[in-house]
């Protein structure tokens, strides 16, 4: 889980570009600039950012911002770590037009400067000083990576902020309506499976210095809160961090769970599966109640845990599939 660790580590210390029309022109094209009345957007800092019109040439550093853009019909001209996005985000794929702008925490100023941007979307995962340096030259709006106090609400707020900046409010409204319908379908599927109230422990894991580090998705994490909205219960007893709702555990820490539904995320393209590799012969792991009862389920690769409504809709479908497996 190298890629997911990077996003969280930086945060703790939004993709079709061109609003409305869904096309992308060459950099610097005279007809690819904002048109219409000025737009003022208030971002997650409470800062008002005024644009000349709906932003067309947009870049984004974090992948939730990239996904929001694509889902709104705005293909970004710049994206941080395009390879990683392709490995982790399957809900909204990029075409071959975005330029890679560097890392999510520290994008290349030279590349950003070459893109003739109307807007850059970032989160607070930028390294210290980067936001101020970028903002001196390019309009920037900041969205949250997550807010454990209201993870689903903060996802929608970020989507709405980007939609206002790009003139795609109608599409945002449709995305929210579709997601509410997906949640309702998921809740009905949970009820049909007789699983309402069942405890679910969702996690991912990574290997570091030979040890398996487990990240419980506790209360306030976006994926786990989606499961709760479906009528399931979060089995993790510990509190997560105040941003992403993530906790830390090792294999011994799993002994507090009992015979729950143990669901997890792994990615063959980035980090593999520590549960079936490093822990396969671990005595503690093999004797956990949910392992002995076969109540362990790996979710499909490339479902982004920190994404937008379309990624979360994938998690609803994956949860229903796990219940019926």
């Amino acid at each position: 889980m190298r890629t997911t660790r990077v996003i969280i580590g930086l945060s703790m210390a939004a993709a079709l570009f061109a609003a409305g029309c869904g096309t992308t022109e060459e950099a610097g094209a005279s007809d690819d600039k904002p048109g219409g009345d000025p737009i003022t957007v208030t971002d997650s800092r409470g800062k008002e950012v005024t644009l000349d019109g709906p932003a067309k040439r947009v870049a984004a550093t974090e992948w939730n911002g990239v996904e929001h853009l694509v889902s709104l019909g705005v293909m970004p001209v710049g994206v941080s770590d395009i390879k990683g996005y392709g490995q982790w985000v399957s809900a909204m794929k990029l075409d071959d037009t975005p330029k890679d702008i560097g890392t999510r925490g520290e994008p290349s100023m030279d590349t950003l400067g070459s893109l003739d941007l109307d807007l850059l979307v970032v989160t607070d995962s930028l390294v210290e000083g980067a936001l101020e340096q970028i903002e001196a030259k390019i309009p920037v709006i900041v969205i949250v990576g997550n807010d454990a106090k209201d993870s689903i609400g903060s996802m929608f707020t970020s989507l709405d902020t980007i939609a206002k900046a790009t003139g795609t409010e109608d599409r945002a409204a449709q995305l929210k309506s579709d997601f509410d319908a997906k949640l309702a379908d998921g809740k009905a599927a949970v009820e049909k499976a007789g699983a309402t109230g069942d405890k679910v422990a969702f996690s991912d894991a990574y290997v570091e210095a030979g040890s398996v580090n487990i990240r419980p998705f506790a209360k306030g994490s976006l994926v786990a809160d989606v499961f709760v909205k479906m009528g399931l219960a979060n089995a993790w007893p510990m509190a997560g961090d105040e941003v992403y709702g993530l906790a830390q555990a090792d294999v011994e820490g799993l002994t507090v769970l009992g015979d729950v539904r143990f669901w997890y995320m792994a990615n063959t393209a980035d980090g593999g599966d520590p549960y079936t590799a490093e822990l396969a012969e671990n005595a503690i792991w093999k004797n956990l109640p949910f392992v002995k009862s076969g109540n362990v389920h790996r979710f499909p690769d490339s479902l982004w845990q920190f994404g937008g409504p379309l990624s979360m809709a994938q998690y609803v479908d994956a949860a229903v599939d796990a219940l019926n497996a």
Side-chain angles (χ1 to χ4, degrees), residues 14 39-45 47-51 55 58-61 69 118-124 126 131 134-135 138-144 157-166:
I39 295 173
T40 298
V41 179
T42 303
D43 70 7
S44 65
R45 301 168 293 176
K47 181 174 180 176
E48 292 187 347
V49 180
T50 299
L51 307 173
V58 188
T61 57
L69 284 166
D118 303 325
L119 179 67
L120 177 67
V121 179
V122 306
T123 71
D124 58 2
L126 292 180
L131 177 58
I134 296 168
E135 204 164 28
I138 301 168
V140 176
I141 57 173
V142 180
I143 60 172
V144 297
T157 296
S158 295
L159 179 70
D160 286 339
T161 300
I162 295 172
K164 183 173 182 180
T166 57

Side-chain angles (χ1 to χ4, degrees), residues 235-250:
W236 294 110
M238 70 282 282
D241 71 89
E242 64 183 14
V243 179
Y244 289 96
L246 300 176
Q248 290 289 332
D250 54 20

Side-chain angles (χ1 to χ4, degrees), residues 214-295:
I214 296 166
R215 294 197 310 178
F217 281 56
K219 179 181 179 180
S221 63
L222 184 53
V223 174
D225 287 356
V226 167
F227 294 160
V228 169
K229 286 288 187 181
M230 295 173 64
L232 300 165
N234 194 329
W236 294 110
M238 70 282 282
D241 71 89
E242 64 183 14
V243 179
Y244 289 96
L246 300 176
Q248 290 289 332
D250 54 20
V251 65
E252 289 86 355
L254 301 181
T255 60
V256 303
L257 290 174
D259 195 10
V260 302
R261 296 181 183 272
F262 191 84
W263 296 349
Y264 70 94
M265 184 72 195
N267 195 319
T268 299
D270 188 6
D273 186 346
Y275 290 115
T276 60
E278 280 77 9
L279 293 182
E281 299 303 321
N282 182 280
I284 296 174
W285 170 257
K286 291 195 297 183
N287 283 286
L288 291 167
F290 49 84
V291 176
K292 294 175 72 173
S293 65
N295 214 352

Side-chain angles (χ1 to χ4, degrees), residues 39-321:
I39 295 173
T40 298
V41 179
T42 303
D43 70 7
S44 65
R45 301 168 293 176
K47 181 174 180 176
E48 292 187 347
V49 180
T50 299
L51 307 173
D52 293 338
K56 295 184 178 182
R57 299 189 60 80
V58 188
T61 57
E62 271 302 345
W63 296 341
N64 62 335
V66 177
E67 181 184 332
H68 288 324
L69 284 166
V70 182
S71 65
L72 290 167
V74 181
M75 181 61 69
V77 296
V79 171
S80 290
D81 187 6
I82 290 176
K83 180 182 178 181
Y85 182 91
Q87 291 175 333
W88 282 98
V89 189
S90 60
M92 283 278 99
K93 296 183 181 298
L94 300 173
D95 64 19
D96 61 358
T97 60
K99 304 298 182 183
D100 196 306
I101 60 175
T103 68
R104 290 182 283 163
E106 192 171 13
S108 164
M109 285 298 301
D110 288 342
T111 305
L112 289 175
S114 72
L115 293 177
D116 192 25
L117 293 175
D118 303 325
L119 179 67
L120 177 67
V121 179
V122 306
T123 71
D124 58 2
S125 67
L126 292 180
V127 299
E128 184 176 358
L131 177 58
E132 293 79 8
Q133 184 181 8
I134 296 168
E135 204 164 28
K137 299 180 179 181
I138 301 168
V140 176
I141 57 173
V142 180
I143 60 172
V144 297
N146 187 63
D147 182 351
K149 298 185 186 71
D150 184 8
S151 62
I152 295 174
S154 68
M155 174 184 73
F156 285 152
T157 296
S158 295
L159 179 70
D160 286 339
T161 300
I162 295 172
K164 183 173 182 180
T166 57
T168 55
E169 293 96 331
D170 289 348
R171 175 59 180 156
Q174 186 64 56
L175 286 165
K176 291 188 288 184
S177 177
D178 290 348
F179 182 69
D180 288 342
K182 175 63 74 173
L183 276 179
D185 289 345
K187 186 173 183 179
V190 170
E191 293 173 352
K192 183 177 179 179
T196 300
D198 282 9
K199 292 183 177 181
V200 173
F202 184 81
S203 69
D204 61 16
Y206 58 94
V207 179
E208 191 170 65
S211 298
V212 176
N213 296 285
I214 296 166
R215 294 197 310 178
F217 281 56
K219 179 181 179 180
S221 63
L222 184 53
V223 174
D225 287 356
V226 167
F227 294 160
V228 169
K229 286 288 187 181
M230 295 173 64
L232 300 165
N234 194 329
W236 294 110
M238 70 282 282
D241 71 89
E242 64 183 14
V243 179
Y244 289 96
L246 300 176
Q248 290 289 332
D250 54 20
V251 65
E252 289 86 355
L254 301 181
T255 60
V256 303
L257 290 174
D259 195 10
V260 302
R261 296 181 183 272
F262 191 84
W263 296 349
Y264 70 94
M265 184 72 195
N267 195 319
T268 299
D270 188 6
D273 186 346
Y275 290 115
T276 60
E278 280 77 9
L279 293 182
E281 299 303 321
N282 182 280
I284 296 174
W285 170 257
K286 291 195 297 183
N287 283 286
L288 291 167
F290 49 84
V291 176
K292 294 175 72 173
S293 65
N295 214 352
V296 177
H297 186 87
R298 174 178 169 175
F299 275 34
D301 289 19
S302 304
L303 307 188
W304 186 229
Q305 303 100 309
F306 313 102
L310 296 179
S311 281
M312 293 306 106
Q314 289 182 314
Y315 272 99
V316 174
D317 290 339
V320 172
D321 289 345

